[in-house]
Amino acid sequence: MPESVELNKTLKILVCDDDPMVRLLARECIEAEGMLVLEAEDGLEAISAYKEHQPDLIFLDVDMPELDGLQACEQIRALPHGDSVPILIATGAEDSETIDAGFRVGATQYKTKPINWTLLGRDIRYMLKSAHAFNELKAQESRLRYLAYFDHLTDLPNRRSFVERLRKCLIDSSTQKTAVGLILIGLDNFKRVNEAIGHERGDDLLHLVADRLQTVVASLGPLASDYPGAEKHFDSSTFSMEISRLGGDEFSVIVRNPRDENHILEITECLRDKLSQPLLLNELSLVVTPSIGIAIAPQHGTAPEAILRHADAAVSAAKLEGRNRIRVFDASLEESAERDFLIEDGLRQSLEKDGFYLVYQPQVNALTGKLVGFEVLLRWRQPDHQEISPAIFIPVAERTGLITQIGDWIFRQVHGDLTGLTDVLPPEVRFSVNLSPLQFTQSNFITQLGHSLRHNELPFQMGLELTEGVIMQSGVQSLEKLFELRALGFKLAIDDFGTGYSSLSYLRQFPIDTLKIDRSFVNDIGSPDGDALIKAILGMSQAMGLETVAEGVETAAQAHFLRDNGCHVLQGFLLSRPCLLSDISNVAKMPFLTLFDNDPSAP
């Protein structure tokens, strides 16, 4: 190898084979493609060469002395950056057993002997192009995960990250028989302060609060940082704390493995004292006091939803008691539990009588203005005509299991509604129904749904929307169910994409047709991080050949940005609010394209 060649300016291919003739032929073919060849006679030399030169691709013969190609492949994959280098193995013709073994230890591709040398250089170049494209997608995924898990204003973990970490802490505490404390912090009268100093300086103030919070917590004990992309992971059995910004003026501190309740109170009192001290903002001295609520697992619950709800109730109580207070959750704050009981009872009665109805929110192609679909949404009206928000009754229905009966009602009602629309809408219009986690995980769900479809053929294309967490719950079983749903004719969408796993791996594995971009990301359009996140999602979905639908589009500016960046199906109040069945014919006649030129958010 000439010493004058600079390895970092050309592609390096490591050829490992104990036959010098094979190495010679490989060199001739690869160098003809303008690439540099490194040589190794066996697996041990290949590992050494990989460590020294970090080649861009490795050609490994399987049958070699000392250390064979499969063993070398497995060891290289375990080395730094070894998980991303393409590895091409060469084996005997039609040796399917060895080929399968090669893929198990991490081979990227294989060639059978005798090798067609005239094609080797070209094949290697195509492998390198594919590897480069995939690595770019992985880098985009990493950026997407960071933007999805961290708050762009404070750089603290956001609500999504908080819920995931709280769930993990509660699982660990249950296994280890230890406690977890949740300290929830709400800033007092922050809305008034924000209005007085302006939203921009209000954001600066939140940044200062976040910085102080991190400083104070770090002075009280170790800060855990085992979030996606974190460099350091903490022992789940030791004392540590985790900070998050939940949104607005809400912050949280998870306390892992405190000594006792007094330990949590000591931490909380220190936080209140330090956060109540003046903050200097552009020569303004501002005091923003905190109201703090505490919930402790397991005595106040073992599920993330329960602990968060109880801590939130404690914050509300602290504010009612005069603000700048600390309140630990107790039984007197159980009003929400009583409310849930009343909601559950009302849901049961509505299933027996007449309380539920459906509305339909249009989805529109932003390029053509054509109506392409509707999302089916459930509404609940009580006997006294009071409308109850889905945000209130759906969680209760999920917790009590009533969601399965409600889901069955929705499918029956959708069928009845759609049969009357065949003269109004073309058959390619899609109606999408949300699936709850409980419905999807039912063992007989697919059978019941298939039976219903066989007896009630639907006149329009149907879609099902599932959250990321739902399909990731049971791996192989979820995959099988998704393929069965696809076989029944459903189009499958990931709802609220980016708020869960957001992983390339499951998008490649599962038969997904559509990604629905969560409205929280659409709301952030116009900020650098918000724009970057949307572009990352769209870039990834385009690379995977997936359709995208943006939810919560409320302004023409949002519509233009999404359309210009490749998201062509939009849904939101800019286009239409959810409408009753009787209004669908009017919605079908709407000139949607004209709405993009009228921004309702403009002054």
Side-chain angles (χ1 to χ4, degrees):
M1 184 193 322
E3 293 182 1
S4 60
V5 175
E6 293 185 39
L7 298 183
N8 62 340
K9 290 189 176 181
T10 189
L11 294 170
K12 297 172 289 185
I13 312 301
L14 173 59
V15 176
C16 178
D17 196 298
D18 60 336
D19 187 337
M21 183 58 68
V22 171
R23 298 200 302 274
L24 176 62
L25 291 170
R27 175 184 288 276
E28 293 293 329
C29 297
I30 296 170
E31 288 183 344
E33 291 287 332
M35 294 176 277
L36 179 66
V37 175
L38 311 169
E39 293 186 19
E41 295 184 4
D42 57 43
L44 292 174
E45 284 192 13
I47 293 171
S48 178
Y50 172 79
K51 291 177 179 178
E52 181 179 356
H53 299 295
Q54 295 289 300
D56 299 288
L57 183 143
I58 302 172
F59 177 101
L60 277 175
D61 182 35
V62 170
D63 187 15
M64 293 186 294
E66 298 294 333
L67 192 73
D68 67 33
L70 299 185
Q71 294 169 317
C73 178
E74 187 171 24
Q75 291 189 30
I76 288 170
R77 287 299 187 213
L79 294 172
H81 310 295
D83 59 341
S84 59
V85 61
I87 298 178
L88 175 63
I89 61 169
T91 185
E94 305 303 326
D95 185 3
S96 58
E97 186 176 330
T98 302
I99 292 168
D100 290 342
F103 283 129
R104 284 196 296 271
V105 296
T108 309
Q109 190 51 278
Y110 71 92
K111 292 191 78 67
T112 57
K113 293 182 177 181
I115 292 171
N116 186 337
W117 296 108
T118 61
L119 299 179
L120 180 63
R122 188 204 64 176
D123 290 346
I124 285 176
R125 190 165 289 281
Y126 277 121
M127 281 184 65
L128 288 167
K129 286 181 180 179
S130 297
H132 177 69
F134 184 71
N135 287 335
E136 282 191 338
L137 281 174
K138 287 183 67 177
Q140 194 174 59
E141 178 187 3
S142 296
R143 173 63 174 162
L144 172 63
R145 286 184 65 80
Y146 179 82
L147 291 173
Y149 273 91
F150 285 81
D151 173 51
H152 67 88
L153 178 64
T154 63
D155 284 331
L156 289 174
N158 62 15
R159 190 182 192 92
R160 301 179 188 94
S161 191
F162 159 79
V163 171
E164 183 176 303
R165 297 310 310 148
L166 179 59
R167 179 173 285 106
K168 175 65 165 58
C169 289
L170 291 172
I171 291 171
D172 291 340
S173 71
S174 176
T175 302
Q176 299 161 7
K177 307 300 181 186
T178 56
V180 173
L182 174 58
I183 301 171
L184 204 59
I185 302 166
L187 302 181
D188 296 331
N189 299 311
F190 183 76
K191 182 179 179 181
R192 180 175 59 80
V193 174
N194 209 24
E195 290 171 350
I197 65 177
H199 289 282
E200 185 174 342
R201 286 202 289 180
D203 286 347
D204 292 338
L205 181 59
L206 286 172
H207 197 283
L208 290 176
V209 171
D211 286 347
R212 178 171 289 180
L213 181 60
Q214 289 184 88
T215 300
V216 175
V217 173
S219 70
L220 297 172
L223 271 173
S225 57
D226 46 354
Y227 298 92
E231 296 179 356
K232 186 176 181 181
H233 295 266
F234 280 75
D235 183 350
S236 62
S237 64
T238 60
F239 167 66
S240 62
M241 292 175 284
E242 304 182 18
I243 309 171
S244 302
R245 181 191 177 206
L246 304 188
D249 60 6
E250 270 196 326
F251 297 85
S252 70
V253 179
I254 298 173
V255 183
R256 299 182 180 185
N257 307 302
R259 293 190 305 272
D260 49 32
E261 183 174 324
N262 286 334
H263 188 193
I264 300 172
L265 285 170
E266 290 170 8
I267 293 169
T268 307
E269 287 167 358
C270 184
L271 290 174
R272 182 188 60 179
D273 293 343
K274 298 295 184 182
L275 291 176
S276 300
Q277 294 177 10
L279 289 162
L280 188 61
L281 177 64
N282 297 332
E283 300 180 356
L284 283 175
S285 181
L286 298 172
V287 175
V288 182
T289 59
S291 290
I292 303 178
I294 298 172
I296 305 170
Q299 56 261 50
H300 298 149
T302 56
E305 297 80 9
I307 292 294
L308 181 56
R309 185 175 68 251
H310 291 162
D312 190 58
V315 170
S316 298
K319 289 180 180 290
L320 288 173
E321 291 169 4
R323 305 185 188 277
N324 196 20
R325 298 285 195 277
I326 296 170
R327 180 68 187 268
V328 179
F329 177 80
D330 59 51
S332 67
L333 304 179
E334 284 285 7
E335 290 181 6
S336 60
E338 182 180 351
R339 184 201 65 177
D340 286 359
F341 175 81
L342 294 174
I343 290 174
E344 179 185 351
D345 184 62
L347 290 173
R348 293 185 188 279
Q349 292 186 38
S350 292
L351 278 168
E352 298 172 359
K353 299 177 182 178
D354 184 18
F356 298 118
Y357 66 98
L358 299 179
V359 293
Y360 298 86
Q361 185 159 34
Q363 297 171 341
V364 175
N365 187 303
L367 295 177
T368 64
K370 183 179 178 182
L371 182 67
V372 296
F374 291 86
E375 181 179 1
V376 181
L377 300 169
L378 179 67
R379 295 294 183 261
W380 182 32
R381 183 185 293 118
Q382 291 190 313
D384 61 359
H385 303 293
Q386 180 184 2
E387 295 277 347
I388 307 298
S389 168
I392 294 175
F393 72 80
I394 291 294
V396 177
E398 290 277 5
R399 288 196 296 272
T400 59
L402 288 171
I403 195 66
T404 58
Q405 296 170 257
I406 294 173
D408 292 341
W409 180 90
I410 290 173
F411 278 107
R412 292 194 303 271
Q413 189 66 29
V414 165
H415 176 265
D417 286 357
L418 299 194
T419 53
L421 294 175
T422 52
D423 295 331
V424 177
L425 299 171
E428 64 267 21
V429 170
R430 183 186 307 169
F431 286 79
S432 298
V433 177
N434 292 279
L435 275 189
S436 78
L438 205 57
Q439 283 177 284
F440 186 71
T441 53
Q442 278 185 298
S443 59
N444 61 345
F445 171 68
I446 303 293
T447 303
Q448 288 184 338
L449 189 57
H451 179 77
S452 175
L453 288 176
R454 281 193 295 273
H455 287 81
N456 300 294
E457 186 175 353
L458 295 172
F460 295 96
Q461 189 177 83
M462 292 298 298
L464 297 176
E465 299 184 9
L466 306 94
T467 62
E468 299 172 74
V470 172
I471 66 171
M472 294 298 290
Q473 281 179 357
S474 54
V476 174
Q477 292 180 357
S478 293
L479 183 61
E480 292 173 352
K481 284 187 177 181
L482 291 174
F483 276 108
E484 289 177 28
L485 289 170
R486 171 72 73 81
L488 288 172
F490 287 102
K491 295 292 184 180
L492 303 177
I494 297 296
D495 194 20
D496 301 334
F497 179 74
T499 65
Y501 293 83
S502 308
S503 169
L504 262 181
S505 59
Y506 81 76
L507 289 181
R508 290 160 55 96
Q509 183 180 8
F510 290 110
I512 302 302
D513 303 292
T514 304
L515 301 183
K516 295 198 73 177
I517 302 174
D518 185 63
R519 66 181 63 247
S520 63
F521 300 147
V522 174
N523 288 341
D524 285 338
I525 289 176
S527 68
D529 284 339
D531 291 354
L533 180 54
I534 293 288
K535 289 179 180 179
I537 293 174
L538 293 175
M540 185 170 66
S541 64
Q542 288 163 9
M544 304 298 294
L546 300 174
E547 182 186 45
T548 49
V549 178
E551 298 182 293
V553 179
E554 297 186 358
T555 69
Q558 292 170 345
H560 292 157
F561 178 88
L562 290 161
R563 181 177 61 184
D564 294 345
N565 285 279
C567 181
H568 299 150
V569 180
L570 310 181
Q571 171 183 337
F573 287 177
L574 173 66
L575 303 162
S576 172
R577 290 179 178 271
C579 66
L580 294 169
L581 177 68
S582 58
D583 295 325
I584 285 181
S585 59
N586 294 328
V587 170
K589 301 172 186 176
M590 289 179 63
F592 289 107
L593 279 179
T594 63
L595 299 176
F596 299 154
D597 298 322
N598 300 305
D599 187 353
S601 70

